[in-house]
Amino acid sequence: MSGGRKFFLPVLLIGLTVGCAAPTVQNLQVAEQGREEAGRLLSAFGEAVRQDSPHLVEPLLAPTLSRGKAREILNCTEAVVWLRRYTGYKIDAEAVLRGVGWRKWESGAFWVKVPCTNSMGRRFKDRFALARVDGQWSIYDLELTGPRSGDALDPPEEVRKQLWPKIQVILDNMREGHISEIFYELPEEDACRKRSPKLSWWRRLLRLSPGSQGIYDDLERLEEFLISDWPLAEEVYGLAYVPTRGIMAVYQVPYVWPEGGIREADILRIQIVFMKSGETWTFYTLRLSGKGIPYS
């Protein structure tokens, strides 16, 4: 028993001594070089996002990544570059990188959470996995803030120019009562041509649901509304993210419906959703909501 104690104590002391060893000059040089390279790396990533150019991220990725993993990272980046949250995106990595201990730089791979800011001054944090491959620091994984359904978008002007003519046709058909032309342009899927009803709390409590509502029925009801001022496509109230790779354009239109008891102006909310297929934006679905639209 006593022999065991004598053997254990020196081993423990040796372990503590090694664990608390001071860094060598070479350790400190490796850490300092790593901080400088990682700082430039994250700065370049921020610049790629600010330019809405996810393809600029590819040279920043670890060359040892599989094609599938590299594509996953690029898709993740592409999904956030249009978010309003990422407009004016800047990574404030210097202080955080200064706090990374020399052992992590020596290890050659670690995760770091860095504070970020946007053009509106909003602060949030993103996570990056950094790795030293062939003597160079690169990104081998990341976790970005979003996108989530309904997140505000700020897409580039060329995307808006693709969408405005298509949206204008839909708005014109609404104004002129050409509802069949709108409805039959939608894909033949329930998710596109029907919607779930929005129920009051007592209907949910009693499980009184009228079932799915038809988009065609909503468009027919729209014909009964009196609308004096239709917006142009570019007069959009807001653009929002729709999973996956979708954009929702939102318009708010004042209307009255005297025959339905709405004699003071209510707001009709028009949501027009497009999905991206290759380089093409396809009309996917439509949602109308307001007092005059049942269960909306």
Side-chain angles (χ1 to χ4, degrees), residues 84 150 152-155 160 164 167 171 230-240 248-254 267-272 289:
R84 188 178 298 170
L153 291 179
D154 185 19
R160 297 171 187 263
W164 295 162
I167 293 175
L171 292 175
W230 282 89
L232 297 175
E234 57 267 28
E235 297 172 338
V236 64
Y237 178 78
L239 296 169
M248 177 171 64
V250 181
Y251 297 85
Q252 298 205 49
V253 181
I267 296 297
L268 175 69
R269 186 176 176 88
I270 303 172
Q271 299 173 322
I272 304 173
S289 59

Side-chain angles (χ1 to χ4, degrees), residues 56-118:
L56 296 178
V57 172
E58 191 166 7
L60 310 178
L61 302 182
T64 53
L65 288 176
S66 67
R67 292 180 61 183
K69 184 60 180 179
R71 173 47 53 190
E72 177 186 326
I73 293 174
L74 294 175
N75 286 343
C76 181
T77 305
E78 182 180 4
V80 304
V81 294
W82 294 356
L83 294 181
R84 188 178 298 170
R85 182 186 305 115
Y86 280 82
T87 300
Y89 178 70
K90 180 181 178 183
I91 299 176
D92 306 313
E94 183 177 355
V96 172
L97 294 176
R98 284 286 168 193
V100 175
W102 63 270
R103 287 184 179 82
K104 287 189 176 181
W105 296 108
E106 282 285 354
S107 74
F110 58 88
W111 279 90
V112 61
K113 181 182 288 188
V114 294
C116 312
T117 57
N118 61 24

Side-chain angles (χ1 to χ4, degrees), residues 126-181:
D126 287 335
R127 294 182 73 229
F128 295 87
L130 306 180
R132 186 176 59 236
V133 180
D134 297 332
Q136 297 290 326
W137 284 92
S138 52
I139 297 170
Y140 74 89
D141 206 350
L142 47 71
E143 293 178 359
L144 304 179
T145 309
R148 294 179 293 271
S149 180
D151 278 351
L153 291 179
D154 185 19
E157 189 60 29
E158 56 266 27
V159 173
R160 297 171 187 263
K161 287 180 179 179
Q162 291 180 50
L163 292 176
W164 295 162
K166 297 181 179 184
I167 293 175
Q168 192 61 59
V169 170
I170 296 170
L171 292 175
D172 288 346
N173 282 332
M174 284 185 184
R175 185 183 67 249
E176 296 164 9
H178 300 160
I179 62 175
S180 293
E181 294 186 25

Side-chain angles (χ1 to χ4, degrees), residues 270-285:
I270 303 172
Q271 299 173 322
I272 304 173
V273 177
F274 289 86
M275 289 294 179
K276 191 174 184 182
S277 177
E279 297 302 315
T280 303
W281 291 98
T282 302
F283 181 32
Y284 181 74
T285 194

